[in-house]
Amino acid sequence: MSRRTEWACLAVILLLAAALRMGWPEITEFKRDEAALYSLALDVAEFKALPLRGIGSSVGLPNTAVSVYLFALPLFVWKSPLAATLWVGLLNTAAVALTYFFMRRYFGGRAAVLAALLYAAAPWAVIYSRKIWAQNVLPVFVVAYIFTAALAFLEARRRWLPAHLLLLALIAQIHYSGLLFLPLTGALLIIFRQNVDGRVLGWGAALAAITAVPFLLYLAQSSGGNMSGLSGLLGRPFQFSLESFQLAALVSMGTEIHSLAGPQEFRNYLATVPDFTGLLWLGGALTLIGGWVAVRRQNISAVTRHSSLLLLIWLLLPPLAFLMHSTPVYPHYFILMLPAPCLLAALAVDNLLTRFQSKLAQVAGYAIPVGITGAQIWLFLALLNFIGARATPGAFGAPLGYLLQVAQAARAAPDVLIVSAGARPQVDETPAIFEVLLRGAPHRFVDGRTTAVFPAGEAWVVLWPMDDALATTAYETLGGVQLQTTVPLRQGEGQVRILAASGAAESALTKLPQPREASALLSNFAEILGSGGDGQVWQLWWRAPEGGEDVTLFAHVLDAAGNRVAQADVPTYPASGWRAGDVVISFFALSGSGVIVRAGMYQSGSLAPVEVLDVSGNPSGQWLEFPRENPNNK
């Protein structure tokens, strides 16, 4: 292969890698974790904060802030989640380029082109290049880590050692699975100690330590809760299983990407594509052959032999390390070994092309990786089209493009109420998403399963489709709102309705089923207006004050003898979203027969009761009583 042909192939491969990783960025997941990481990065880009830690992790210890600062970089240019998404794709495209240069240096141009081609289209490598996730930026750092290991230790280019140690520190802080490389670097330092300069090693160690300073400061400032979480993790019993090798094989071969379509839809996706299982398994077989070649190659330089073994260790280290584990093992733990399977597969094909020189063998040798790549591209593009157009319950979330459409439409409102399943951005997915997408615009959150808010002022109500949305029915039946626009979601997900509310509070009050003879004022200045509902769902109507402390409402059903036969507690929407004059309906699922409902409020944090005030403003009790049945529904 001539140098010109090689460069032309590389250009085409990089265009392919970029298209798969950066094309259609609106078809990407943007759930609570992605929103949380993007929010922290946006704080940095807007010069609002310099965080010492990242988002939480599944192991009980918070992530470090390295990923936050990495994702902040593109946001200095364009403050959009699309910018952060494209940034992930760009870094992973750079990993493909770096893979080529690594392979070319140690294994030649043909092996380099083949490795870059296989890596460019590897399905899981592409999938893990397309969303705002800390571990998704690992590959470019991991390839650079392996490259600098070869330069510093195998070639004795000592000036590369600080870069190697810096990359090790960054990888371990981007995702804790990166700690698996620590023993590898330690072993290389011992085995190739004659190639190590003590002063250079010291400078590299100091540079690596500096990157950990923010997180160390966080640990020093925080309470012992983080250490107890780590102690709890270390105290869990370990178990042995081969699941790590199963997941490593899955990531290596690109199988089971249909899992992104979810348990209800994956068969529908599979019906749209040919069965390429044989080609994917052929790719896995080439990786195994490449591992054999790495061990058995002869008549090569010591550097090339050691580089081959380094590739094999890179491939085997993660699955071997997770044979014993105390926490669940997930496929994304094996991002760490990408693109080692592709490099070994390329090594196998290159070796076969060298050994068999007939024209037929040469055509077949090139056709195999091209065929595997073509099948992988077909499968991925079909999957992208499927998950971008159809609901995938339990799997791929609503694509970012739809979320941005909703946010853009809502920004035109003077005030926005997001009505969805949940009202607290810290724990609930839809509020977490729109907390950051509507940053800078007035907005508040309402859990539509338990609460309906009719604003006193001008506002728009964004109704996110959900099951058991009692608020949706209330808006439809009580009036005071008009349909402003709709944003259709994927097939099977329904649509987001945006309602314009003007005078909605007063309009709703005209339909209050059972108004009290006189409203009751509580000690937090909330005003109880009346009740309603039927035998299944009871309603408490109240008027919100301006702000306050978060409260929970309770409702106890009493029989004629005064015995409690049913009860329910529901949180209100966050008090930070209360606006004076808003009319609120709180819904309670109350079973059992009874004649009286005793209801009131208590503070969510301290559990202290919110007192009922008498006409003089003095506390007179901790609850009010209402008739159980709504006469209008008898």
Side-chain angles (χ1 to χ4, degrees):
M1 183 181 295
S2 68
R3 188 65 168 160
R4 175 177 291 183
T5 302
E6 194 178 322
W7 280 110
C9 289
L10 176 61
V12 172
I13 289 169
L14 291 180
L15 286 174
L16 171 65
L20 294 177
R21 288 159 174 78
M22 302 172 67
W24 312 277
E26 70 280 359
I27 307 178
T28 185
E29 280 190 307
F30 193 77
K31 295 182 178 179
R32 187 161 62 92
D33 282 353
E34 292 84 357
L37 180 53
Y38 173 70
S39 180
L40 289 174
L42 195 57
D43 286 342
V44 175
E46 293 179 342
F47 303 100
K48 292 181 177 179
L50 294 175
L52 300 179
R53 54 157 286 182
I55 65 173
S57 74
S58 59
V59 299
L61 190 67
N63 285 293
T64 75
V66 166
S67 58
V68 175
Y69 291 101
L70 284 173
F71 277 103
L73 294 176
L75 302 183
F76 285 107
V77 179
W78 181 24
K79 292 176 175 57
S80 167
L82 290 174
T85 302
L86 291 170
W87 175 242
V88 179
L90 181 62
L91 289 177
N92 279 272
T93 302
V96 176
L98 200 56
T99 294
Y100 165 82
F101 289 111
F102 171 80
M103 288 295 287
R104 192 178 200 289
R105 184 176 185 89
Y106 298 108
F107 303 103
R110 184 171 61 191
V113 169
L114 292 170
L117 176 65
L118 290 170
Y119 182 31
W124 284 108
V126 173
I127 289 167
Y128 287 133
S129 300
R130 293 185 55 85
K131 75 170 182 175
I132 304 170
W133 225 18
Q135 52 267 39
N136 284 6
V137 301
L138 277 173
V140 68
F141 293 95
V142 171
V143 176
Y145 164 84
I146 295 294
F147 205 160
T148 54
L151 291 168
F153 297 112
L154 308 188
E155 294 191 44
R157 294 176 176 265
R158 297 173 180 176
R159 67 179 183 275
W160 287 101
L161 183 56
H164 175 77
L165 296 177
L166 173 62
L167 288 163
L168 173 62
L170 293 175
I171 290 167
Q173 292 180 79
I174 290 171
H175 193 261
Y176 291 129
S177 62
L179 292 170
L180 297 180
F181 283 142
L182 190 59
L184 175 58
T185 294
L188 291 171
L189 283 168
I190 295 171
I191 295 170
F192 296 95
R193 55 188 177 276
Q194 71 277 7
N195 296 340
V196 176
D197 184 300
R199 289 180 301 174
V200 176
L201 175 62
W203 281 109
L207 189 62
I210 289 173
T211 66
V213 168
F215 192 62
L216 293 175
L217 287 174
Y218 163 74
L219 292 177
Q221 294 174 6
S222 62
S223 64
N226 293 308
M227 291 299 102
S228 63
L230 181 59
S231 299
L233 172 67
L234 297 176
R236 297 175 189 171
F238 280 81
Q239 59 180 341
F240 174 86
S241 78
L242 295 175
E243 185 182 11
S244 61
F245 275 90
Q246 295 170 353
L247 294 176
L250 177 151
V251 172
S252 297
M253 294 188 294
T255 56
E256 297 191 36
I257 64 170
H258 59 262
S259 61
L260 270 70
Q264 299 178 29
E265 290 291 330
F266 78 92
R267 291 184 181 86
N268 291 327
Y269 159 70
L270 290 176
T272 68
V273 294
D275 185 359
F276 288 126
T277 304
L279 278 173
L280 298 181
W281 278 83
L282 178 57
L286 288 175
T287 298
L288 295 178
I289 295 171
W292 177 257
V293 170
V295 174
R296 302 292 296 178
R297 291 182 81 183
Q298 298 179 356
N299 301 321
I300 55 176
S301 68
V303 170
T304 302
R305 176 179 294 279
H306 290 150
S307 298
S308 301
L309 294 175
L310 186 60
L311 291 183
L312 187 58
I313 293 170
W314 181 10
L315 175 73
L316 294 176
L317 184 59
L320 284 173
F322 285 112
L323 280 174
M324 296 292 295
H325 54 90
S326 61
T327 62
V329 180
Y330 300 102
H332 65 260
Y333 287 6
F334 300 93
I335 295 175
L336 201 66
M337 70 181 196
L338 293 173
C342 304
L343 274 58
L344 287 169
L347 202 60
V349 175
D350 183 63
N351 185 67
L352 292 172
L353 289 170
T354 300
R355 294 184 62 181
F356 301 99
Q357 295 293 324
S358 70
K359 187 173 183 179
L360 180 61
Q362 293 290 303
V363 171
Y366 284 109
I368 290 173
V370 170
I372 292 172
T373 299
Q376 292 173 333
I377 294 172
W378 189 328
L379 290 172
F380 173 73
L381 291 180
L383 178 65
L384 196 67
N385 179 67
F386 187 91
I387 62 180
R390 296 182 58 158
T392 50
F396 195 90
L400 176 60
Y402 294 104
L403 303 174
L404 290 175
Q405 288 181 48
V406 174
Q408 183 178 3
R411 280 184 174 275
D415 186 21
V416 179
L417 277 73
I418 305 293
V419 181
S420 65
R424 285 166 170 74
Q426 300 84 354
V427 294
D428 298 317
E429 187 155 296
T430 303
I433 292 168
F434 286 101
E435 176 72 3
V436 67
L437 293 185
L438 290 175
R439 178 179 289 200
H443 62 277
R444 38 203 176 123
F445 300 103
V446 177
D447 188 337
R449 300 167 300 180
T450 62
T451 310
V453 177
F454 291 82
E458 297 287 334
W460 286 7
V461 178
V462 176
L463 291 178
W464 190 263
M466 56 184 160
D467 297 329
D468 303 322
L470 297 172
T472 301
T473 303
Y475 289 120
E476 291 173 347
T477 57
L478 298 179
V481 295
Q482 292 183 335
L483 182 65
Q484 182 72 22
T485 187
T486 61
V487 178
L489 300 177
R490 296 178 295 178
Q491 179 184 340
E493 284 181 329
Q495 60 184 3
V496 177
R497 288 186 291 165
I498 301 180
L499 311 176
S502 178
E506 294 304 317
S507 176
L509 280 179
T510 63
K511 299 180 180 179
L512 171 56
Q514 289 181 282
R516 292 179 58 83
E517 292 184 4
S519 62
L521 188 66
L522 305 185
S523 58
N524 64 351
F525 300 105
E527 185 180 2
I528 305 298
L529 304 173
S531 62
D534 53 32
Q536 299 298 318
V537 178
W538 185 75
Q539 303 170 358
L540 180 66
W541 291 53
W542 53 285
R543 182 179 280 118
E546 185 71 27
E549 294 188 28
D550 287 346
V551 297
T552 299
L553 293 94
F554 65 87
H556 299 164
V557 180
L558 308 180
D559 62 17
N563 299 312
R564 186 190 305 173
V565 295
Q567 71 177 68
D569 292 49
V570 298
T572 68
Y573 65 114
S576 59
W578 293 2
R579 300 292 180 268
D582 286 353
V583 170
V584 185
I585 306 175
S586 295
F587 303 100
F588 299 81
L590 294 175
S591 59
S593 59
V595 295
I596 294 294
V597 177
R598 181 177 289 171
M601 296 182 180
Y602 58 88
Q603 294 178 3
S604 299
S606 66
L607 305 183
V610 177
E611 300 284 348
V612 180
L613 304 181
D614 61 19
V615 292
S616 300
N618 298 314
S620 62
Q622 298 176 2
W623 59 75
L624 296 165
E625 292 187 346
F626 304 84
R628 173 71 172 97
E629 296 292 338
N630 179 0
N632 296 327
N633 291 333
K634 287 185 177 179

